Structures are given as C-alpha cells and as structure tokens.
Amino acid sequence: MTYKLIDLVRKLKAEKHAIILAHNYQPPVIQEIADLTGDSLELSRQAASTTAEVIVFCGVAFMAETAAVLNPDKTVILPRLEAGCPMADMITPENMLAIKREHPGVPIVTYVNSTAAVKAESTVCCTSANSIRVVESFQDADTIYMTPDQNLAKYTARHTRKKIHYWHGYCPIHHNLSAQQVRRRKEAYPDALFLAHPECRPEVLDLADMVQSTSGMLRYVNESSHRSFIIGTEEGILYPMRRQNPDKSFYPASDDLICPDMKKITLADVVQSLQTLQPRVTVSEEIRHKAIKAVERMLAV
C-alpha cells in the first residue's frame, strides 16, 4: 500500500505542478517523498524560487502560513489543518499590542515559530540560528523584547550585552527535556557529543558541547569527525542524520522528544491534499503585508 501511495503522490504532484516540503521533524516516509526538507523558513524561501504552482507543506500551521506570506502567488496546502504548534499558540496579536503598550519604543524580535498575525505586530523576525545577530543589529536600542520563546530569549541574552525582556512561551518538547535526562544519556554514551537546540532550558544548554538550530545540527554532524552524538531536539531529525551519516551513531537525549503535531501528516493525507488542493492556508493581504516586512528586515541583517 505504501508504494502505491508514493507512486500516486508522484503522479499527482506532476499533474498539479506541485512541490512537497517536509520539515526535519516529519516522519521518515514523509521526508522521503519531499522535494525539499529543512527548517520552516529555509523551506519557505526555497519554495519561492521554484516554478511550482502548489506548495504542499508537511509541517505545522505556522510554517504553512509563513510559506503563504512569502509565496502569495502560489497555492499553499497543509494536509492536516489541526497540526499546530503549542508555542505559537501561546501568544496572540492582542498580547503583542499589550507588550507594545508596556514597552513603548522597544523593538520586538519574534521567532519565526509564530503565527502570521503575531509576525505582523513584530519589528523583526528571527530564527534559532540568527537570533543573536538580529538582536545585535539594533545599534540604537539597549533593550529588546523577544517573543514567544523564553528559552531562545535566555540563550540570546547570554550572548549580548543588551537587556532582553521576553514572553513566557516555550516549546513543550524542548522545554520538558531535563538536565537529569541529559546526564543519564551522557553517562550511557560517554564518548558522544551532546548537541542541543536553543529552545531547550538554560540548564540543558549548559551541558551541551554545541548549541545549534536543526539545520545547524545537520551541518555539524555531517562535517564533524566525531563518531557519536546525543541529539537534544525532536527525534525526527535522527532520520536524515542517520541516512546522511551511516557510519556514525545518534542517540536521542530523551525518549520523550516526540512532537505529536509533527507526526500527524500521513501519506494518505498528502494524496488527498494533492487530489483536492485542500486544506488551503491563506493569509489576509493586510496581515501578509505587515508580516513580510518583519521577515524581510530579518533577511536584511
């Protein structure tokens, strides 16, 4: 059945002039059928440079929204609309307006893991890879407010002299990884390097040999001469790591690093989406216009 569905995906993709994007945390079979894999912003930007008329985004809702913001002339499909992001849902546009009232004139740096409506109320966006550089780009501002991820904000604050205020959001998957769990893994695999995502708690980052975004982790393990790694991010990334590095060993920092939302999309969902070009993700032109400015400011840094 799986092979029949894969063949059907390929046939429908050609008929619909579609491209399939898959986040690094998606199930292996979804990553295998994707034309492009990577992190959310990287995928959306790459999609903008293709001639595809349809983007099937295998990820979560805010990622499909970002693709719609950056690709207004393309049809953007999210195979399962209920695939959301708890962290993105922890802040609203109304919260952003309250932040502006409480911190007038303070630049708001918003993680791309956020809704388009929240991006629209931001000064600039950032990723887990460039948050320090984005914060440092405000030469005339000594104070910055970061949303929605408190752990990314705390990580960024360690690497800048600027005062960082932050929202109280977090990714439950990364936030729930404990230092005790990491220590147990390090004891079990003493020769392994520990790579942690900036969305992890500060005490977990203190144990890391390297702190990297998902794309950064993939580059690091590919280029490293080291042979074994403990990976402190969602377990889906172990699939491309092992595929690209069959001679190296990779261990999850915890058996609990599984995002249920990232596992919702199935092959059958992708087939149905290509057949119906639904569910479609759209962003109002007013929000899109404001949100893309925040993204473009980041890209200009």
Side-chain angles (χ1 to χ4, degrees):
M1 176 62 75
T2 297
Y3 293 114
K4 288 183 179 179
L5 289 176
I6 290 173
D7 288 341
L8 187 52
V9 165
R10 290 172 178 158
K11 176 176 176 288
L12 290 167
K13 187 172 63 172
E15 290 176 0
K16 305 288 186 175
H17 304 287
I19 188 171
I20 298 176
L21 313 182
H23 191 271
N24 292 319
Y25 297 160
Q26 287 288 297
V29 69
I30 300 299
Q31 294 193 44
E32 280 297 325
I33 63 166
D35 298 286
L36 297 170
T37 59
D39 63 36
S40 59
L41 183 65
E42 175 185 34
L43 290 171
S44 295
R45 293 180 65 192
Q46 289 177 333
S49 64
T50 74
T51 58
E53 297 172 8
V54 176
I55 297 171
V56 179
F57 208 123
C58 296
V60 296
F62 80 80
M63 299 178 183
E65 277 196 342
T66 304
V69 166
L70 294 176
N71 299 273
D73 58 333
K74 302 181 191 299
T75 299
V76 178
I77 307 298
L78 178 65
R80 293 282 292 273
L81 280 181
E82 68 271 27
C85 172
M87 178 169 64
D89 293 339
M90 288 179 187
I91 189 165
T92 66
E94 291 73 26
N95 296 144
M96 294 290 283
L97 294 175
I99 291 168
K100 291 179 180 180
R101 289 193 296 269
E102 293 166 12
H103 302 272
V106 173
I108 301 179
V109 177
T110 294
Y111 194 17
V112 292
N113 294 28
S114 56
T115 66
V118 166
K119 288 182 177 73
E121 297 299 333
S122 309
T123 309
V124 63
C125 288
C126 76
T127 68
S128 54
N130 68 16
S131 62
I132 299 165
R133 193 162 67 250
V134 170
V135 165
E136 285 290 309
S137 71
F138 289 95
Q139 298 179 359
D140 298 328
D142 295 325
T143 302
I144 305 291
Y145 199 108
M146 293 188 68
T147 69
D149 186 10
Q150 59 178 287
N151 291 317
L152 180 62
K154 292 171 184 177
Y155 165 74
T156 305
R158 291 183 173 192
H159 299 278
T160 179
R161 294 182 178 179
K162 297 185 186 296
K163 181 174 179 59
I164 305 288
H165 296 289
Y166 54 83
W167 191 247
H168 52 260
Y170 56 87
C171 165
I173 309 307
H174 291 99
H175 193 68
N176 290 339
L177 177 63
S178 70
Q180 182 180 14
Q181 288 173 312
V182 173
R183 289 192 189 97
R184 285 201 295 264
R185 277 294 197 267
K186 289 169 77 77
E187 289 173 4
Y189 306 103
D191 295 329
L193 294 181
F194 173 46
L195 276 56
H197 195 281
E199 291 177 23
C200 294
R201 293 172 181 265
E203 60 266 30
V204 169
L205 299 186
D206 288 340
L207 298 171
D209 296 291
M210 186 65 62
V211 178
Q212 292 279 1
S213 65
T214 53
S215 294
M217 285 185 185
L218 285 167
R219 283 192 298 271
Y220 185 84
V221 301
N222 287 347
E223 297 168 3
S224 175
S225 59
H226 212 79
R227 313 305 294 175
S228 59
F229 304 86
I230 297 167
I231 304 300
T233 193
E234 211 276 347
E235 60 87 30
I237 203 172
L238 297 177
Y239 176 71
M241 285 180 172
R242 288 166 175 157
R243 183 183 58 189
Q244 295 167 21
N245 302 273
D247 57 337
K248 298 178 182 180
S249 299
F250 300 95
Y251 313 101
S254 162
D255 294 332
D256 300 325
L257 290 169
I258 300 173
C259 174
D261 285 282
M262 279 290 184
K263 309 307 184 192
K264 286 182 176 176
I265 294 173
T266 66
L267 269 178
D269 294 327
V270 176
V271 168
Q272 185 172 28
S273 291
L274 284 167
Q275 288 172 331
T276 63
L277 296 186
Q278 295 291 337
R280 185 171 179 179
V281 174
T282 60
V283 177
S284 73
E285 190 57 25
E286 179 184 3
I287 289 176
R288 192 193 77 82
H289 183 69
K290 293 171 69 177
I292 200 169
K293 285 184 177 179
V295 175
E296 287 174 341
R297 289 189 191 107
M298 174 189 71
L299 299 178
V301 172

